[in-house]
């Protein structure tokens, strides 16, 4: 989006704006898109802030943001299972989402459960986390730095410096 990197700030502004109290066509989709962008970044601290925003949001915004997170899950092709998704790793359980799965509002509980299925944390039942990556040796770091320089000259023009081009 044109808001790239500032989607969370926009969601915070929307949450505080009286112009966004009632849902109108397109507002829910926009809020969901912003939430999906924040979730796709994969930055645990920003996703944790997003979850806090979801908790404090009004019903339609809460639903829209949960839909945005759920939209990041890959869909199954006809007759096939959906591809495996690499879940987002948070440092601790997102208790806000976990609590929402017990909501009396069935739709909200289902949306929270779907979002929660895309997240892992240490101690999550049934999940074995990959071990942390080891630091690079001096030789590996030198090779990485050379590759980084090569990428910036040969690949970065099309793929952008962050690889998202």
């Amino acid at each position: 989006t044109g808001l790239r990197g500032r989607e969370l700030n926009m969601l915070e502004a929307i949450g505080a704006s009286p112009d966004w109290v009632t849902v109108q066509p397109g507002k829910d989709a926009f809020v969901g898109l912003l939430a999906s962008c924040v979730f796709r970044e994969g930055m645990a601290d920003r996703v944790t802030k997003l979850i806090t925003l979801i908790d404090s949001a009004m019903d339609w915004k809460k639903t829209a943001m949960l839909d945005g997170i759920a939209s990041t899950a890959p869909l199954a092709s006809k007759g096939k299972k959906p591809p495996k998704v690499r879940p987002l790793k948070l440092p601790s359980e997102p208790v806000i989402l976990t609590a929402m799965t017990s909501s009396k509002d069935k739709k909200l509980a289902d949306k929270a459960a779907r979002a929660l299925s895309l997240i892992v944390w240490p101690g999550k039942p049934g999940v074995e986390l990959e071990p942390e990556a080891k630091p690079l040796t001096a030789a590996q770091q030198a090779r990485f730095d050379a590759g980084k320089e090569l990428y910036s000259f040969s690949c970065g023009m099309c793929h952008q410096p962050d690889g998202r081009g």
Side-chain angles (χ1 to χ4, degrees):
T1 71
L3 292 169
R4 186 170 171 190
R6 299 185 309 268
E7 295 91 351
L8 185 60
N9 303 66
M10 185 65 175
L11 282 169
E12 291 171 330
I14 286 170
S17 173
D19 295 332
W20 288 78
V21 172
T22 57
V23 66
Q24 295 172 355
K27 282 186 174 180
D28 55 345
F30 181 65
V31 167
L33 176 63
L34 292 172
S36 72
C37 289
V38 173
F39 192 80
R40 284 180 202 274
E41 286 177 348
M43 298 172 70
D45 60 330
R46 291 175 54 81
V47 172
T48 300
K49 284 182 183 177
L50 173 63
I51 292 169
T52 302
L53 274 177
I54 292 169
D55 185 44
S56 64
M58 298 168 62
D59 289 341
W60 75 266
K61 292 178 199 171
K62 191 177 300 236
T63 301
M65 287 188 269
L66 288 170
D67 283 342
I69 291 173
S71 74
T72 66
L75 300 173
S77 300
K78 191 172 184 172
K80 295 183 180 179
K81 288 183 179 180
K84 287 195 174 195
V85 62
R86 184 173 181 208
L88 175 72
K89 183 180 176 188
L90 294 182
S92 62
E93 179 180 4
V95 293
I96 292 169
L97 280 182
T98 304
M100 282 183 199
T101 63
S102 300
S103 172
K104 292 178 183 177
D105 179 344
K106 179 82 167 113
K107 280 178 74 173
L108 181 66
D110 289 346
K111 290 176 186 297
R114 184 141 187 239
L116 203 57
S117 73
L118 301 171
I119 301 171
V120 296
W121 58 89
K124 182 176 182 179
V127 174
E128 198 172 308
L129 297 178
E130 295 177 12
E132 295 295 322
K134 296 178 193 172
L136 299 177
T137 65
Q140 291 169 329
Q141 185 64 49
R143 190 176 200 185
F144 176 83
D145 292 339
K148 184 176 178 181
E149 187 174 335
L150 179 64
Y151 177 89
S152 67
F153 291 115
S154 299
C155 311
M157 299 295 281
C158 296
H159 294 282
Q160 302 303 311
D162 61 7
R164 295 183 185 179

